[in-house]
Amino acid sequence: MIAAWRLRGASFVTIEAQEESVRLARKSAAYNGLNARYEIRLGDFRTDEVIATDEAFDLVLGSPPYFPLGSGIESDHPQEVASRFEMRGDIGDYARVAAAHLAPGGLFACIFPETDRARVEDAAKRTRLAIVRRRPVVFREGEPPLVALFAMMRVADLPSHMRERTWVEPPLVIRCADGSVHPEYATVKLAVGFPP
């Protein structure tokens, strides 16, 4: 919904696999006045029943779950388990579906653990996507980045000399060493409608 708030001329399609998530998303869309340009679909994004084969998007955003099932302690809350563990697809599935539904010149952006970057690189390679930008995210100044933001495009949409290049941006720092909000992150928050 942040993207819908920031990109006021765009229409959005959101896919949620859990009924409770759909209910909450619809409530939030109504509260924020987004119903006219914000479609919320219930289902598995990997199926043709949710995204028609001929649908194409200029921007695909995703927050894939990070952990394979059985690789950590799973919460009793079903929404928490599905948001962290790969119950309905992994980064490879997200990349495959994004690549199939990107409009020419479109961008797929996602967040994934920086420490598991090889899985993103492998998924991009298998689906003929090029990682054009990567930005590590540091939650507290002085600590290593835990996640990164990845921006990908179809290889076929890029000039040949750009297909193997990734612009690695300086880390986005969320909090300063003293615990205060980092000035750049405060600016990012302000740009998407949140108080710094």
Side-chain angles (χ1 to χ4, degrees):
M1 285 195 194
I2 291 172
W5 183 88
R6 187 69 174 96
L7 303 170
R8 295 178 186 259
S11 296
F12 290 83
V13 172
T14 297
I15 299 168
E16 294 285 354
Q18 299 179 75
E19 288 186 28
E20 180 66 8
S21 295
V22 168
R23 185 187 70 73
L24 293 170
R26 287 185 175 144
K27 181 178 177 182
S28 185
Y31 177 82
N32 288 288
L34 298 173
N35 283 342
R37 58 191 187 91
Y38 202 82
E39 179 185 348
I40 302 164
R41 300 177 186 174
L42 172 64
D44 188 328
F45 72 95
R46 299 170 294 176
T47 66
D48 290 342
E49 292 85 41
V50 180
I51 308 174
T53 37
D54 62 346
E55 279 187 279
F57 303 94
D58 295 318
L59 176 64
V60 176
L61 302 171
S63 181
Y66 304 156
F67 309 113
L69 281 171
S71 66
I73 298 171
E74 298 171 16
S75 168
D76 291 334
H77 196 286
Q79 281 185 282
E80 289 179 10
V81 174
S83 68
R84 293 182 181 96
F85 292 91
E86 297 166 345
M87 297 177 64
R88 295 181 191 90
D90 59 18
I91 183 62
D93 293 308
Y94 277 71
R96 178 182 51 77
V97 173
H101 294 283
L102 282 175
L107 185 77
F108 167 45
C110 69
I111 184 169
F112 206 73
E114 171 71 2
T115 53
D116 213 359
R117 185 173 70 228
R119 288 180 65 198
V120 180
E121 292 167 347
D122 180 60
K125 186 175 183 177
R126 283 186 287 116
T127 56
R128 304 286 298 142
L129 291 171
I131 301 171
V132 293
R133 295 174 74 166
R134 176 171 60 86
R135 185 157 201 201
V137 178
V138 172
F139 288 101
R140 192 171 190 115
E141 198 171 28
E143 296 178 357
L146 297 180
V147 296
L149 306 168
F150 296 87
M152 300 173 233
M153 295 178 69
R154 281 196 303 241
V155 169
D157 291 342
L158 293 166
S160 58
H161 67 282
M162 295 298 294
R163 293 176 179 175
E164 299 293 325
R165 291 186 180 180
T166 300
W167 175 29
V168 181
E169 299 179 52
L172 173 63
V173 179
I174 305 298
R175 295 210 171 263
C176 298
D178 66 5
S180 62
V181 175
H182 190 277
E184 183 184 8
Y185 187 60
T187 303
V188 169
K189 288 176 68 176
L190 190 61
V192 294
F194 289 98

